[in-house]
């Protein structure tokens, strides 16, 4: 990691970009096409069409890598275990060198998504808030791993269809409060930007007139929160800001998706660091071996 960060500090943004392009030339064409297809389906990273000389995502990446080398160093040092540090290195090295080997090595194959028993070994009387509950996968995993001795679960989901499926899937579990609302740093109305590929990737658009209620956790929940999970398609930072009072007062365990764009890997950690709450940080990787997604930052 030290060598990688030193190189990012030494090289100019243009040199970083040229380096990434040279590494790209060594990637098999079918893998390039797979990455291009994935980035086409989602809007978080920018476009990438090598056959058309469209490398806008790599221009954005080069700028991000150059401008944040010192922050990478600080975040790396803040991570609590070697597994987290290796995951962080694997992500950066994949972006910079198209390193698929380390990325495959750090793929999670032991614990369920969000619930690493080395990080959260037990849960008792929790008030668990699930932002982006979708159809209940995370709630079912939480109860299956830790049991039904939780105090309460708040399940937030924007779409009517997903909410119906969620309620049906977890209908036999008690003390679940369903909230068909969007969560941000403000209160008002919004609209849902429907994703053509997956309803789990629908995004919020704040509008003056909309069909969806938008709230903040500080406004919407009056009791102590002990666990807060977020996977809300790039709205995580706004939702964190809208829960700042809860975070400062309650110090909940935070399970945060940090893969919606290159920048999110840093921005959520940086926001929490500025609150100066002495959180301990971990990374876990639940994605695949080609392009880094499904990255979770734990703040405990």
């Amino acid at each position: 990691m030290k060598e990688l960060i030193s190189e990012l500090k030494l090289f100019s943004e243009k040199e970083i970009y040229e380096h990434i392009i040279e590494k790209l030339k060594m990637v098999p064409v079918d893998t390039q096409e797979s990455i291009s297809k994935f980035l086409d389906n989602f809007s978080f990273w920018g476009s990438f069409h090598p056959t058309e000389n469209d490398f806008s995502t790599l221009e954005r990446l080069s700028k991000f890598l150059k401008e944040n080398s010192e922050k990478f160093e600080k975040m790396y040092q803040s991570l609590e275990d070697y597994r987290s540090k290796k995951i962080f290195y694997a992500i950066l090295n994949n972006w910079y060198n198209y390193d698929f080997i380390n990325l495959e090595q750090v793929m999670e194959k032991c614990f369920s998504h969000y619930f690493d028993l080395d990080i959260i070994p037990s849960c008792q009387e929790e008030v668990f808030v699930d932002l982006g509950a979708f159809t209940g996968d995370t709630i079912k995993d939480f109860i299956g791993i830790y049991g039904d001795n939780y105090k309460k679960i708040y399940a937030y989901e924007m779409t009517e269809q997903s909410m119906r499926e969620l309620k049906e899937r977890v209908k036999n579990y008690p003390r679940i409060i369903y909230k068909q609302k969007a969560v941000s740093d403000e209160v008002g109305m919004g609209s849902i930007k429907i994703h053509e590929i997956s309803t789990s990737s629908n995004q919020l658009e704040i509008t003056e007139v909309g069909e969806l209620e938008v709230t903040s956790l500080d406004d919407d929940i009056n009791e102590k929160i002990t666990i807060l999970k977020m996977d809300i398609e790039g709205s995580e930072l706004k939702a964190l800001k809208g829960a700042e009072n809860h975070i400062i007062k309650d110090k909940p365990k935070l399970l945060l998706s940090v893969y919606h764009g290159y920048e999110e890997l840093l921005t959520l950690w940086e926001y929490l660091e500025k609150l100066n709450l002495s959180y301990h940080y971990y990374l876990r990787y639940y994605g695949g071996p080609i392009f880094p997604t499904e990255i979770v930052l734990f703040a405990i």
Side-chain angles (χ1 to χ4, degrees):
M1 186 68 165
K2 184 177 180 180
E3 181 179 338
L4 174 57
I5 291 177
S6 296
E7 198 163 311
L8 294 177
K9 288 181 177 180
L10 179 64
F11 284 3
S12 67
E13 181 181 326
K14 183 182 180 206
E15 288 171 324
I16 291 172
Y17 175 76
E18 290 172 346
H19 170 91
I20 295 174
I21 291 293
E22 284 302 310
K23 291 294 182 178
L24 175 64
K25 293 176 181 178
M26 302 169 63
V27 175
V29 172
D30 59 341
T31 303
Q32 293 186 36
E33 291 175 350
S34 177
I35 296 171
S36 178
K37 183 177 180 181
F38 174 79
L39 295 182
D40 267 348
N41 288 335
F42 303 92
S43 59
F44 301 119
W45 298 275
S47 60
F48 177 68
H49 301 100
T51 57
E52 301 171 17
N53 289 318
D54 176 4
F55 303 106
S56 69
T57 186
L58 302 185
E59 293 170 359
R60 176 176 169 181
L61 173 59
S62 301
K63 181 179 177 65
F64 173 66
L65 291 175
K66 180 58 186 175
E67 291 181 349
N68 293 285
S69 56
E70 292 187 2
K71 290 180 182 178
F72 295 144
E73 195 167 31
K74 290 178 182 177
M75 183 173 174
Y76 180 82
Q77 294 301 327
S78 77
L79 296 171
E80 288 290 323
D81 61 356
Y82 182 74
R83 183 176 180 84
S84 299
K85 293 178 186 292
K86 183 167 183 179
I87 289 169
F88 193 46
Y89 168 75
I91 293 166
L92 293 182
N93 207 43
N94 174 273
W95 287 342
Y96 186 62
N97 285 311
Y98 287 96
D99 171 16
F100 307 124
I101 295 174
N102 277 287
L103 197 61
E104 184 171 17
Q105 288 177 352
V106 300
M107 290 167 55
E108 181 58 57
K109 298 178 181 177
C110 184
F111 297 116
S112 297
H113 203 142
Y114 298 109
F115 302 118
D116 188 311
L117 291 170
D118 285 329
I119 301 173
I120 307 175
S122 63
C123 288
Q124 301 287 333
E125 291 294 308
E126 306 283 359
V127 175
F128 174 38
V129 178
D130 187 353
L131 298 189
F134 192 40
T135 58
D137 306 69
T138 303
I139 291 173
K140 289 201 70 171
D141 283 346
F142 173 74
I143 297 172
I145 292 167
Y146 299 111
D148 63 358
N149 57 351
Y150 54 88
K151 184 178 178 181
K152 198 175 294 181
I153 295 174
Y154 288 90
Y156 285 82
E157 178 54 45
M158 295 193 301
T159 68
E160 187 175 343
Q161 177 184 342
S162 294
M163 181 59 74
R164 284 198 303 268
E165 294 181 36
L166 167 65
K167 289 179 178 179
E168 177 63 26
R169 194 171 185 187
V170 299
K171 64 183 179 182
N172 294 324
Y173 298 114
R175 303 180 300 282
I176 299 179
I177 298 172
Y178 302 98
K179 300 269 192 174
Q180 191 177 334
K181 301 179 181 180
V183 177
S184 187
D185 58 349
E186 57 186 301
V187 175
M189 300 300 293
S191 298
I192 301 172
K193 184 179 179 182
I194 301 297
H195 194 277
E196 295 180 0
I197 304 299
S198 172
T199 55
S200 68
S201 299
N202 291 336
Q203 292 177 276
L204 170 67
E205 291 183 332
I206 303 294
T207 56
E208 291 186 7
V209 179
E211 73 282 358
L212 179 68
E213 182 180 352
V214 179
T215 189
S216 71
L217 290 183
D218 283 342
D219 283 283
D220 209 47
I221 296 180
N222 294 320
E223 64 182 310
K224 180 178 180 179
I225 296 171
T226 63
I227 302 181
L228 174 55
K229 167 256 177 177
M230 294 187 186
D231 187 358
I232 47 177
E233 304 308 303
S235 294
E236 286 82 3
L237 182 58
K238 287 186 175 181
L240 272 182
K241 291 178 178 179
E244 187 169 300
N245 292 335
H246 275 297
I247 293 170
I248 292 172
K249 183 180 178 181
D250 304 342
K251 297 182 178 61
K253 296 179 276 289
L254 302 174
L255 291 54
L256 309 174
S257 292
V258 290
Y259 63 90
H260 304 104
Y262 301 115
E263 297 81 2
E264 201 175 52
L265 183 65
L266 277 180
T267 52
L268 274 64
W269 167 82
E270 189 175 20
Y271 169 75
L272 292 172
E273 278 290 272
K274 288 178 180 178
L275 294 181
N276 196 27
L277 298 175
S278 300
Y279 268 110
H280 298 275
Y281 300 104
Y282 303 82
L283 282 177
R284 291 297 184 263
Y285 182 62
Y286 303 94
I290 303 300
F291 187 85
T293 61
E294 303 297 340
I295 308 161
V296 174
L297 172 68
F298 293 78
I300 308 297

